[in-house]
Amino acid sequence: MENELIKLKNDASSLVIAAEDEQELNEIKLDFLGKNGKLTLLLKDIKKVPEESRREVGMLANEILSSVEELIERRIVEFKGKTREAIKKETLDVTMPGKKPRPGHLHLITQAIEEISQIFAHIGFERVRHPEVEWDWYAFGALNFPENHPARDDWETFFIDEAQHEKHGQMILTPHTSSGQIREMTKGKLPIKMLNIAKCYRRQSDVSHSQIFHQFETLIVGENISIANLKGTLDYFVKSWFGPERKTRLRPYHFQFTEPSFETDVSCGVCNGTGKLPDGTKCRLCKEGWLEIGGAGMVHPNVLKACGIDPEKYTGFASGWGVERVLMMREGLELDDLRILYSNNLDFLEQF
Ligand code: DAH
């Protein structure tokens, strides 16, 4: 009996020491000290021990029982402590001061688009949006482009690999915002006074060109619209955007969809439109005092006709300028690579 008791004690002790978690300890406890546990059962046999040694064996049995119990309890406390420590490491101290997120701001092109929209909204232009994935007819055909015009060439325009539209031709990415003119004019509602700002896509990518850029396009169609309205609108925009001292001029040019057509220029802010710096040297920014902003003109009668508008009764003007261009001109931005505008370079973006 004594030997059996000592063997059980040793077995229990080595199992308790090797146990890896609390659950295992509870199982050992049940196995040795539970109702039908090995030690419990053995203790029941004490009555069978001869009387003369019963007292001694009883004392040994009690000692073994409490030492096994104590060992198990000690290890349980140990595991609990470990868990507490592990929990401590993982917990979030909600009383600690937080990390402040860095405040962001709108991208400089988004800021420019908002400002341009506001400037035109003051004189009644309605901001519109039209598809950037477009049919050839809206971007070229209805804008009076001949079938073989180079802008339609694969090298300028992105063509989408889709079946042709029976009336509107190939699917493309809009290479300019002028497609929005056709979208507005074919709605069948006059007068029109739209500002279309959108992304444009062209197959060009180098330090001064990006495959994606933005244009803002104005279009007015109504009765008695003249070049004076075009010149006045251009003048108003330029003074609002660049400053009241700046002057504008129209220079004859050619576009398929306007007649007459113009390049629009703004007086240079560096040399005040003189083309010369105070020391008499040539201004390096402009050409003889003028900077080019973009195209404009009176809507071509063929374009009005293509959209079902009577060119005898209605006239209109349109202009299309680059958002990046007017932004860089105003900010005096000389970018080594224009494509930085579309990168996520925070050192650059945070300056605006
Ligand atoms: N769509 C032309 C381009 O991307 C710019 C343009 C020129 C727009 C004359 C106009 C315009 O509305 O009248 O080069």
Side-chain angles (χ1 to χ4, degrees):
M1 176 94 186
E2 277 156 296
N3 286 346
E4 265 178 88
L5 277 169
I6 290 167
K7 188 181 174 299
L8 276 183
K9 182 195 168 182
N10 289 342
D11 287 354
S13 305
S14 47
L15 283 172
V16 169
I17 287 161
E20 285 186 352
D21 56 31
E22 210 181 318
Q23 193 193 338
E24 213 179 304
L25 285 171
N26 285 328
E27 278 160 20
I28 298 166
K29 193 173 174 182
L30 203 67
D31 197 22
F32 285 88
L33 309 173
K35 220 166 152 202
N36 295 312
K38 290 172 190 155
L39 259 172
T40 320
L41 293 179
L42 193 61
L43 287 177
K44 281 187 183 155
D45 286 345
I46 283 187
K47 11 185 203 323
K48 293 180 194 160
V49 173
E51 221 181 319
E52 61 274 18
S53 54
R54 200 180 290 157
R55 204 177 112 85
E56 216 173 300
V57 174
M59 270 165 62
L60 176 71
N62 275 332
E63 210 183 291
I64 286 176
L65 192 69
S66 51
S67 87
V68 170
E69 251 170 5
E70 199 188 313
L71 189 62
I72 291 175
E73 286 313 313
R74 224 188 305 141
R75 289 235 61 201
I76 286 179
V77 171
E78 210 180 294
F79 276 124
K80 283 219 165 94
K82 263 194 196 152
T83 330
R84 226 170 279 136
E85 233 165 71
I87 288 171
K88 229 189 219 168
K89 263 189 210 151
E90 278 170 24
T91 41
L92 170 76
D93 180 355
V94 292
T95 62
M96 292 251 294
K99 279 187 197 152
K100 273 198 185 150
R102 282 163 73 183
H105 62 70
L106 295 177
H107 188 276
L108 71 160
I109 292 176
T110 311
Q111 291 178 35
I113 288 173
E114 290 201 346
E115 196 181 328
I116 292 167
S117 307
Q118 268 171 23
I119 291 174
F120 280 103
H122 279 144
I123 52 168
F125 279 82
E126 186 194 350
R127 170 106 192 259
V128 296
R129 303 298 292 267
H130 290 297
E132 287 171 10
V133 181
E134 188 51 289
W135 301 106
D136 175 287
W137 188 75
Y138 290 92
F140 298 118
L143 284 165
N144 202 31
F145 278 79
E147 210 48 61
N148 56 358
H149 194 278
R152 272 208 178 98
D153 197 302
D154 271 2
W155 291 103
E156 284 273 344
T157 305
F158 286 103
F159 285 86
I160 308 274
D161 206 0
E162 264 293 319
Q164 291 213 9
H165 189 286
E166 56 181 287
K167 277 199 226 137
H168 301 148
Q170 293 236 41
M171 193 185 273
I172 56 163
L173 295 182
T174 46
H176 57 179
T177 42
S178 302
S179 51
Q181 291 188 29
I182 306 303
R183 286 274 171 189
E184 282 301 306
M185 286 191 274
T186 49
K187 276 184 183 168
K189 257 178 38 196
L190 290 176
I192 294 167
K193 205 169 176 189
M194 76 149 204
L195 173 70
N196 178 31
I197 308 184
K199 290 190 198 75
C200 303
Y201 306 82
R202 288 186 199 176
R203 296 190 63 170
Q204 49 178 22
S205 184
D206 55 51
V207 293
S208 50
H209 294 95
S210 154
Q211 291 180 329
I212 299 183
F213 57 101
H214 299 77
Q215 285 187 341
F216 58 110
E217 182 103 7
T218 65
L219 172 72
I220 289 197
V221 180
E223 286 178 62
N224 302 319
I225 304 295
S226 72
I227 296 175
N229 300 118
L230 162 57
K231 174 86 162 115
T233 306
L234 164 71
D235 219 48
Y236 161 77
F237 171 75
V238 162
K239 287 182 166 34
S240 313
W241 178 262
F242 292 102
E245 71 290 351
R246 306 292 277 269
K247 294 189 181 69
T248 59
R249 75 172 181 189
L250 300 179
R251 202 159 27 87
Y253 201 71
H254 170 76
F255 292 106
Q256 289 298 332
F257 40 94
T258 41
E259 183 59 36
S261 302
F262 308 101
E263 275 292 3
T264 56
D265 294 339
V266 53
S267 61
C268 177
V270 170
C271 62
N272 276 327
T274 60
K276 280 196 197 112
L277 295 177
D279 64 4
T281 57
K282 249 186 162 186
C283 178
R284 276 183 300 138
L285 187 68
C286 64
K287 266 194 220 144
E288 285 151 10
W290 295 96
L291 298 161
E292 183 185 311
I293 332 185
M298 300 306 290
V299 182
H300 197 294
N302 286 352
V303 175
L304 293 170
K305 268 191 244 164
C307 300
I309 297 171
D310 180 1
E312 297 299 328
K313 192 167 177 210
Y314 297 102
T315 48
F317 78 73
S319 68
W321 301 327
V323 174
E324 287 81 352
R325 186 170 174 78
V326 295
L327 179 68
M328 285 166 65
M329 278 166 72
R330 184 177 74 178
E331 303 301 321
L333 272 178
E334 282 181 41
L335 303 175
D336 291 338
D337 187 341
L338 173 118
R339 291 167 296 187
I340 196 173
L341 287 167
Y342 315 103
S343 73
N344 55 1
N345 181 332
L346 288 183
D347 287 342
F348 171 71
L349 294 173
E350 281 177 347
Q351 296 173 45
F352 301 91

